[in-house]
Amino acid sequence: MTLSLAQMRRNYTRAGLPDDLTCDDPQALFHEWIAQASETENAPFEANSMALATVDSQGRPHCRILLLKGLSEEGFIFYTHYLSDKGEELAGNPYAAMTFFWPGLERQVRIEGRVTQLDPQDSDDYFASRPLASRLGAWASPQSQALASREELELRMVDTRERFASQEPPRPPHWGGYCLHPQRLEFWQGRPDRLHDRLDYRLHDGVWVRNRLAP
Ligand SMILES: Cc1cc2nc3c(=O)[nH]c(=O)nc-3n(C[C@H](O)[C@H](O)[C@H](O)COP(=O)(O)O)c2cc1C
């Protein structure tokens, strides 16, 4: 059976990125866009969800959705299992790419750069702010490992609840944050007739150089 999606098309008309846009700091522009996306996008869509691509030791890319949990001077922060597939991939090759898509605003942002593990204290602070079940889940789930059944996962959670019945679960050593330090950001705004706007920022010797790219 084949499926054709060739007739699915729409025209993008909401906004534009003018040539005289006075923003030399792409992180400030990202801040503005994600704030607008959080106000505009409809629940249950999460404006902070993004696709994160990493590359394994054989040069093969892997991509999955994650939640952005912070934006600092250094970059874009997310949390995960350090021994997951993505954790192993980042240990071998620290370069990654993130893509955000905000359909309500007809916008995409692509971010590329080098990823480092967060300072353990920052991971501890974020972990402590999570709901108890999420903290227990970080202990119970060996992310990306094969499980014999759903029951195995649920039994692991029961064991974890017992283990931490009388104490707060600390952050597991295998779980924490990463920061993607951006070297490139591209802002895409859908425009009519496929003549979309693309603004590309690249870091050269510590200075952001901006170019308009053809759509
Ligand atoms: C909306 C959404 C949000 C997610 N957020 C996270 C997250 O913040 N951290 C995380 O480790 N996995 C998150 N996941 C699960 C990942 O997509 C993925 O299944 C998991 O991290 C394992 O990936 P890996 O095996 O490539 O390491 C999310 C999935 C969805 C659909």
Side-chain angles (χ1 to χ4, degrees):
M1 197 211 293
T2 60
L3 169 69
S4 171
L5 302 172
Q7 295 313 315
M8 286 179 76
R9 63 179 76 239
R10 54 182 273 222
N11 215 18
Y12 303 108
T13 54
R14 282 189 65 103
L17 282 168
D19 284 324
D20 60 358
L21 181 84
T22 51
C23 188
D24 296 327
D25 176 2
Q27 282 185 236
L29 185 55
F30 179 85
H31 209 281
E32 202 178 293
W33 276 30
I34 196 166
Q36 289 170 357
S38 330
E39 287 161 13
T40 316
E41 300 295 349
N42 297 325
F45 179 84
E46 291 168 292
N48 60 332
S49 61
M50 44 90 177
L52 178 82
T54 50
V55 175
D56 70 20
S57 57
Q58 296 175 321
R60 295 183 189 183
H62 301 274
C63 191
R64 75 293 278 164
I65 302 294
L66 258 71
L67 297 179
L68 184 77
K69 287 292 178 176
L71 181 59
S72 73
E73 292 274 294
E74 283 81 49
F76 298 81
I77 294 164
F78 57 92
Y79 292 88
T80 191
H81 197 298
Y82 287 146
L83 303 178
S84 63
D85 283 356
K86 80 183 86 49
E88 300 285 350
E89 286 149 18
L90 288 169
N93 177 350
Y95 289 92
M98 303 180 160
T99 302
F100 292 82
F101 176 43
W102 296 307
L105 294 171
E106 301 173 345
R107 284 175 175 172
Q108 167 184 253
V109 180
R110 294 168 57 180
I111 304 168
E112 296 167 10
R114 197 167 200 281
V115 176
T116 57
Q117 283 191 4
L118 276 196
D119 184 82
Q121 185 61 54
D122 292 338
S123 289
D124 287 345
D125 292 347
Y126 173 71
F127 187 79
S129 77
R130 303 178 84 212
L132 179 61
S134 305
R135 283 179 281 151
L136 294 171
W139 280 99
S141 167
Q143 194 178 61
S144 314
Q145 302 296 311
L147 295 168
S149 60
R150 170 81 204 179
E151 190 187 13
E152 181 188 341
L153 182 62
E154 286 172 3
L155 289 175
R156 280 173 159 274
M157 191 64 167
V158 170
D159 287 349
T160 305
R161 279 190 197 283
E162 274 171 24
R163 179 174 168 193
F164 294 109
S166 55
Q167 65 169 115
E168 288 286 309
R171 177 176 64 88
H174 58 252
W175 191 98
Y178 286 102
C179 179
L180 185 151
H181 306 263
Q183 293 164 346
R184 181 181 173 196
L185 283 95
E186 185 208 302
F187 296 82
W188 185 101
Q189 176 74 63
R191 299 294 305 273
D193 305 325
R194 298 296 185 260
L195 297 180
H196 310 303
D197 285 331
R198 298 177 66 191
L199 280 190
D200 181 59
Y201 291 81
R202 290 180 202 221
L203 200 55
H204 285 292
D205 301 326
V207 177
W208 287 107
V209 177
R210 192 175 74 180
N211 276 299
R212 178 177 288 273
L213 302 180

